[in-house]
Amino acid sequence: NEYADELRTLPQEPLPLNPPPPGAVIRRAHNRPAASAGSRFPAQLYPGHPHNFTPLRPVPTGWNSTDRALRDVAWESRFDLMERRIEPRYAAECVGTPRREMQEGMIGGIRVRPVQNPYVRLKAAMKYRLNTWQSRNWKQWSPNLSHVRGGRRRYRIPQDIAPYKDELGEWHPPRISGRYKADVEKQYLMNSLPWVWSNDYYNQRLHIWDWEPRGLKRWYKKHWRKAQVDEALKRADEMIEDYRKERRQAKRLSWIETIVKEFAGN
């Protein structure tokens, strides 16, 4: 059609070769809902990350944008995050090799969050799922009411992925089994949304680089001792003065000093 022909004639915009400087603030309008959606969610200014990237604690010295993104802690409301859905789009595979990775969700060449890859070859099986399955109907997809795989029944999220109690007080397993719950999670990730219904979403584990060293003490005791010495050398003059003062006060007074103290005081 004419629209497709116009798209083909548009000039290609080269991708920037240099990454943004550390701490750069980027504004992306597509991460907030349109004004016609009835949402009052404000435009977001964030340093290279679309969801949770406002540091609530002092940033340690030497950390760059990648270190901060990898240790990011979720703090915003789940329902605010779900308004930032980005509808999946599909495009033809890039021509030639090597291919440049999808830069969305990457900081400094490291992927910090999963995103939907639009550059795929739509085979017959994938086209069938996109055209037939209600769970892949992205125009009408909702994070609160979701289908699973090839089913036509809609489930409430998160009520149907958790155990529930009936009117008699008896507990029952979730209406969605683990297999189909994983499909719902996949739908969230394909829409560029984090899986906000995980049990440890707001209490995530420490990053592996921040774990306490494990193994024999002799493997890391030398480095730990060296760090202690380096820290002590920074305040060596103060420590020496405190040590001399402490030893002077602990020294036993002579007979002359005792007499002077009794008559003249300290």
Side-chain angles (χ1 to χ4, degrees):
N1 53 15
E2 297 180 359
Y3 180 71
D5 295 337
E6 292 179 2
L7 290 179
R8 294 190 186 96
T9 57
L10 290 177
Q12 296 292 333
E13 296 184 359
L15 293 172
L17 300 178
N18 299 326
V25 178
I26 305 172
R27 177 175 177 177
R28 297 177 185 171
H30 62 263
N31 279 338
R32 69 178 188 273
S36 59
S39 174
R40 297 183 178 180
F41 199 82
Q44 293 298 306
L45 293 178
Y46 52 89
H49 199 271
H51 291 306
N52 309 324
F53 207 83
T54 301
L56 301 179
R57 57 186 182 276
V59 180
T61 305
W63 277 25
N64 54 22
S65 300
T66 307
D67 296 325
R68 294 167 59 187
L70 292 176
R71 294 166 175 83
D72 185 29
V73 178
W75 62 273
E76 293 174 285
S77 170
R78 293 184 173 99
F79 304 99
D80 290 344
L81 293 176
M82 287 190 290
E83 290 185 3
R84 307 186 202 176
R85 174 215 174 193
I86 303 175
E87 182 180 337
R89 299 177 182 273
Y90 298 93
E93 285 186 306
C94 301
V95 179
T97 54
R99 292 178 292 185
R100 184 181 175 91
E101 281 191 277
M102 178 76 171
Q103 295 301 299
E104 181 70 23
M106 293 185 65
I107 298 180
I110 299 177
R111 186 165 300 282
V112 297
R113 68 177 183 91
V115 295
Q116 185 255 353
N117 179 23
Y119 304 109
V120 296
R121 181 183 178 185
L122 294 178
K123 299 181 181 179
M126 188 178 295
K127 289 182 180 179
Y128 172 80
R129 293 194 293 266
L130 292 174
N131 296 331
T132 309
W133 287 8
Q134 292 297 321
S135 60
R136 301 297 186 267
N137 185 5
W138 304 128
K139 293 292 183 182
Q140 300 179 0
W141 187 84
S142 170
N144 300 318
L145 294 172
S146 179
H147 298 82
V148 291
R149 293 182 67 82
R152 296 188 176 276
R153 177 182 174 184
R154 267 192 165 184
Y155 293 93
R156 301 170 302 162
I157 308 297
Q159 290 85 353
D160 290 344
I161 61 176
Y164 65 96
K165 186 188 294 186
D166 61 11
E167 61 274 6
L168 300 178
E170 296 184 2
W171 285 96
H172 297 273
R175 296 180 176 90
I176 301 180
S177 63
R179 175 187 179 186
Y180 298 109
K181 177 183 174 182
D183 183 71
V184 177
E185 179 179 353
K186 183 178 180 180
Q187 296 174 35
Y188 269 67
L189 298 179
M190 292 185 70
N191 285 270
S192 298
L193 293 175
W195 181 236
V196 298
W197 304 115
S198 60
N199 295 332
D200 58 347
Y201 181 68
Y202 284 105
N203 297 307
Q204 298 179 7
R205 295 179 295 177
L206 283 177
H207 192 269
I208 187 173
W209 292 350
D210 300 332
W211 287 0
E212 182 180 351
R214 296 180 180 179
L216 300 178
K217 277 190 176 182
R218 68 171 185 268
W219 293 353
Y220 58 86
K221 191 173 183 180
K222 178 181 178 181
H223 300 282
W224 177 74
R225 180 61 180 168
K226 182 181 178 182
Q228 274 194 326
V229 172
D230 294 341
E231 188 66 25
L233 287 175
K234 295 179 182 178
R235 47 191 183 92
D237 297 338
E238 181 182 353
M239 293 177 64
I240 292 174
E241 186 65 28
D242 293 343
Y243 175 77
R244 289 176 177 174
K245 185 177 180 181
E246 180 183 352
R247 297 305 301 171
R248 194 180 303 116
Q249 293 177 352
K251 185 178 178 181
R252 184 178 179 181
L253 300 179
S254 64
W255 180 80
I256 297 295
E257 292 174 341
T258 305
I259 296 300
V260 172
K261 182 177 179 181
E262 288 180 358
F263 286 95
N266 294 328

